[in-house]
Amino acid sequence: MVTEAAIWAIFLLPLGSFAFAALVVRPFFNRYSLISGIVTIAALGTALGFSIWTLRSVVLGHNLDFEPFEWLEVGGATIEMGLLVDPLTAVMLVVVSGVSLLVQVYSLGYMKGDASFSRYYAYMSLFTAAMLGLVLASNIIQLYVFWELVGVSSYLLIGFWHERPAAAAAAKKAFIITRIGDVGFIIAILYLFTQADAFAAAGLNAFHIPDIWEAAQPEAAAGAILGGAVLTWLALGIFAGAAGKSGQFPLHTWLPDAMEGPTPVSALIHAATMVAAGVFLVARFFPVFEQSADAMTVVALVGAFTAIFAASMGLVMNDIKRVMAYSTISQLGYMMAALGLGLYAAAIFHLVTHAAFKALLFLGAGSVNHATGTFDMRYMGGLWRHLPVTYVLVVVAGLSLVGIIPLAGFWSKDEILLGAWNGNGPVDTWVSRVTFSALLAGVIVTAFYTIRMIILTFHGEFRGGIDRELEEKAQSAPAGASSPEGNGGHGGVHLAESPWVMVLPMVVLGVGALLLGYLANPQWNEEIGIPKHWITGFLGDGLGAALGAVGHAETLDFSRWMATVSTVAALSGIGLAVLVYLRRRDQRADPLERLKPLHTLLSQKYYLDTLYEDVMVRKGFFKYFAGTVDWIDRNLVDGVVDLIGWFFRNIGTAIGKLQTGQVQAYATGIAFGVLAIILALLLA
């Protein structure tokens, strides 16, 4: 059985590599910055080993209920630091540490020669440690600390090349928008704090996550605390935080701009850390959500709308990373919709498969950039001849994303579609039908933009490589500054396969994109002795065991007709993309540009950035609100403070003039004072 020390080490190892890279290597041994990468990889490799050990212990049913440490006591509520190790935790630990390890190995080649190599690995170690700490947290305050640390780490990494205005702006945008969502999360925590005494009366801790689950159950002693509308608003507050981190509408606009960070950062954000944190948060508090049909309806409909909404914008993007960014938002919509429909295990299963194929797609984009010096697909083409391994792996990942049998994405996405169609969850039937329709339409659109990306990047003739505009930006950068990623930082165009240190992690992820789906393949599982639908049953049964309940397994039987429907939808999107792009005459023109009004609407992202940044912030309500607050601050608040200072400064001067040092003057003053008092008494 795994020990408590080994589980804590999963978090402490990357935290230690962060301290080593930031406090030892960077200030004292920066010329040997490769040490930072090696130490980080060693730490994550060990953490992955402990994560697998933890997963094995949970699978075998070992008791991993460890006593928490008392941290603080505030207003009668005890804040603890502890470990919550259940099937969800065990699976997420392997996903986070595994993907992070592969990304760090890849980074050895991709970030080679960068002036801030040690700083990069320090930030990446902190990012991974924060996510692992979030996954392990048994207390909502402890979880919130790591939740915000994930946000800080993403800010540092998105703005890694901070000398570039676009990168600095993207980092600020991500930080501000995710903070907007976190307002809801902190309000939910504050409500729990106000109910600390009521929880204590029921023998529960208002911040301990399993106790919050118990308080949400109708039959619980504390059920009245989290019942009715209060429970709904609590769940929606938590969902607001999750929507910000996971880029759900309308808080999605930061995610495409986050592509200004290095590509390995994008892979980690989109596959296993930042955006996965939002899905994990809703899954962690799923026992609370499922007690409110209204909250589940909101989650399902927001997720379904986000899935098709984001996918539509991926149709017209020319930056290969931004195509993948909108794809991530769309796939997160699938996961949120599944959670809203009560498909807890299917949502986490899709998170696992998505981590493999989406990380591979981003690393494939980095490999293409390494060869061409650009992410703009208009400057690519014909690369399958020069990057054959990258091409095959990107095709595998792309088809897994689309949901083509027997790749991993097919099994997880198909289970979500089947659950949506069956509609046996806590929401109304119409919600399930609307969600199913949106998700099925998303399959068609996903197939189209994925094949479009593959054709524009790898097929046809090579269209010139590096973007000259980006090259000019790189040449005008300050001396000693890191090269903008758009220029590759790798010496311009050299059409050849990436080095093995970049290709090897991609191959491992490619194997995952091929085989992870078989964790839920009933025929294959039975042949080798694994129970049917192992991963979904494992996750669902774990949730039921935590609540002392049953009915959470959600092991949906394989449906041939649903598989046929989803496959036909995917193939129709693929066929349409091939028809439109593979046979076009002018390879430098995008056929979708002929649909001018629609193309403009999509390329302008439905004008939401304009609405937020120009209309609301620079010209609208927030401009006047900020101006009013600024005037109050400078004229009223500062004025009162300045007036108090002026008063005491000048009253001191006036009183000082009375201090002459002449004793006879003081005696005269006393005499007149005594006479004034006597006169006042006589008049009274």
Side-chain angles (χ1 to χ4, degrees), residues 123-131 150 153-154 157 268-269 273-274:
Y123 289 171
M124 289 290 264
S125 296
L126 180 64
F127 199 16
T128 304
M131 185 64 191
V150 167
S153 302
S154 67
L157 284 165
L268 196 56
I269 287 176
T273 52
M274 181 79 164

Side-chain angles (χ1 to χ4, degrees), residues 186-226:
I186 194 64
I187 289 174
I189 294 174
L190 290 174
Y191 174 76
L192 292 172
F193 176 71
T194 64
Q195 300 301 313
D197 292 339
F199 270 79
L204 303 174
N205 185 328
F207 296 142
H208 190 56
I209 294 174
D211 287 355
I212 298 172
W213 296 347
E214 184 177 342
Q217 305 309 306
E219 67 278 5
I225 301 173
L226 300 181

Side-chain angles (χ1 to χ4, degrees), residues 635-654:
N635 292 276
L636 297 184
V637 178
D638 288 353
V640 170
V641 173
D642 291 342
L643 179 62
I644 293 172
W646 176 89
F647 174 78
F648 284 104
R649 183 170 60 251
N650 288 277
I651 196 67
T653 302

Side-chain angles (χ1 to χ4, degrees), residues 268-328:
L268 196 56
I269 287 176
H270 287 252
T273 52
M274 181 79 164
V275 298
V279 176
F280 171 82
L281 183 67
V282 176
R284 176 56 84 206
F285 289 96
F286 185 77
V288 176
F289 279 84
E290 69 175 346
Q291 297 304 323
S292 171
D294 292 336
M296 295 287 275
T297 298
V298 171
V299 175
L301 294 179
V302 169
F305 178 77
T306 302
I308 185 64
F309 178 75
S312 67
M313 289 181 279
L315 292 171
V316 299
M317 294 295 122
N318 293 315
D319 186 307
I320 187 172
K321 283 174 62 177
R322 278 176 167 75
V323 174
M324 293 302 99
Y326 282 112
S327 172
T328 298

